[in-house]
Amino acid sequence: MTALPQHNASDAEWNDWRWQMRHRVSTAEALERYIRPTADERHAIEATADVFRWTITPYYASLMDPVDPACPIRQHVVPQAGEVAPDIVGVVDPLDEVGHSPVKNLVHNYPDKVAFCVTSECAVYCRYCLRKRMVGDADFMMRKDELREGLAYLRATPAIRDVLLTGGDPLVFSDANLDWLLSELRSIPHIEVVRLGSRLPVVNPMRITDDLCAVLARHHPVWLNTHFNHPRELTPEAVAACERLADAGVPVGNQTVLLAGINDDADTMRALCERLVAARVRPYYIYQAQLIGGTAHLRTPIETGMDIMRRLRGHTSGFAVPTYVLDTPDGKVPLTRDYVLGRAGDHVLMETTRGTLWAEPNPLPPGFESAHPLPEVGMPEGVRTVPTGAPRFVYGEPA
């Protein structure tokens, strides 16, 4: 690996999570302090400028291989040529989160739990992000009165027992604002569990301070799910952040997205899961990548994930084996043969946990072979799916 000049920060500055947020990389010039961008990356940076912002904490940028564009860290956050290649889908909200939101940024798709998107800001913008429609967009930021409107909905809906604070990333809040929000939630008698979904332990582990852990500990039970996708992300700093959370009594789970060329092989996934367990992080989900326009280069055949699961189960500790799922408008579907009915051409047909049928567009690449191919099935008339077209859609242009 060829080192490049990186930053002029003092140790105190580098280890300050606020410094990391203030000095995020968001221009090609700043990026050159960490990597040698390829011509394709430079083109993608320009081509996606008006579509989906990119930004990287200096810490996370320092993990990138400076000369290898196939570096898994680099593919996460540096715009790639594949983002502006034709895609069969152009959707921006495949889970119909807006349709399930009774008030701004509060998604109520399950009877007893909600996802409360309390901010649209993240430390980094992952290129495969489910919420490209909102992250980094000022229109989706939450004012205090809008947060109170969401809290009022929660108070008025006694069926809700489980609240996930997500976004964006709730840990970009200050300790004081987070303490206020958790106190408000804890004042609602029917809310039993509060969860936070945060990638900051991965991309800005300096955020997991003793003071933050003390705030979380005051409001137990508080759970946190983070988002490691590759073993290289489990640095000493990230592991220490997860251990601080565990020491504060915060159970930490991990939600990985299956990504082509990054973690779509059993050896990488097993190494990730085993290293997570060693850091006291429970592998929770492997997500099939969502059908967001401009992410075709990162999506995998569902058979790939099912084959990986066959090579995990029975080949490592049981608690190191996550559940492979697809998120749909009718909830998460475990991608096992209990629910997956078969392949109908370019779609995978499955029964959801609500008893409905869903057909996920998931064409097989030319020459693809699975060790355990799905049976061929017919496509039922009127089954719900995501609209697709010929590979002509380019992200950021009308379909």
Side-chain angles (χ1 to χ4, degrees), residues 69-118:
C71 164
I73 308 298
R74 193 159 156 171
Q75 290 187 71
H76 271 83
V77 286
V78 177
Q80 303 291 320
E83 294 182 44
V84 291
D87 200 345
I88 62 169
V89 295
V91 292
V92 295
D93 186 13
L95 303 183
D96 191 24
E97 290 191 326
V98 173
H100 289 107
S101 298
V103 298
K104 180 179 177 180
N105 286 13
L106 192 147
V107 184
H108 191 179
N109 191 22
Y110 295 87
D112 67 335
K113 59 186 177 182
V114 299
F116 195 3
C117 302
V118 294

Side-chain angles (χ1 to χ4, degrees), residues 286-310:
I286 296 175
Y287 276 104
Q288 175 66 19
Q290 285 292 330
L291 289 163
I292 303 294
T295 63
H297 62 297
L298 292 172
R299 301 194 297 265
T300 66
I302 285 174
E303 288 90 337
T304 296
M306 295 178 76
D307 287 346
I308 288 173
M309 293 306 298
R310 281 179 174 265

Side-chain angles (χ1 to χ4, degrees), residues 195-232:
R195 293 181 289 153
L196 293 94
S198 177
R199 192 146 156 76
L200 264 69
V202 184
V203 300
N204 189 358
M206 298 77 173
R207 175 64 184 103
I208 313 303
T209 62
D210 291 340
D211 287 344
L212 171 65
C213 290
V215 168
L216 300 180
R218 280 199 292 273
H219 301 286
H220 279 321
V222 175
W223 297 61
L224 187 144
N225 278 331
T226 190
H227 184 178
F228 290 92
N229 285 331
H230 193 275
R232 282 198 206 176

Side-chain angles (χ1 to χ4, degrees), residues 234-298:
L234 280 156
T235 63
E237 294 89 345
V239 168
C242 293
E243 291 179 340
R244 283 194 292 276
L245 289 165
D247 287 345
V250 179
V252 183
N254 188 70
Q255 300 181 166
T256 294
V257 178
L258 184 63
L259 298 167
I262 293 177
N263 59 15
D264 59 337
D265 66 275
D267 290 342
T268 299
M269 195 64 76
R270 183 168 57 249
L272 171 63
C273 292
E274 291 175 350
R275 290 189 60 188
L276 285 168
V277 167
R280 290 187 283 169
V281 177
R282 173 69 160 89
Y284 180 38
Y285 282 142
I286 296 175
Y287 276 104
Q288 175 66 19
Q290 285 292 330
L291 289 163
I292 303 294
T295 63
H297 62 297
L298 292 172

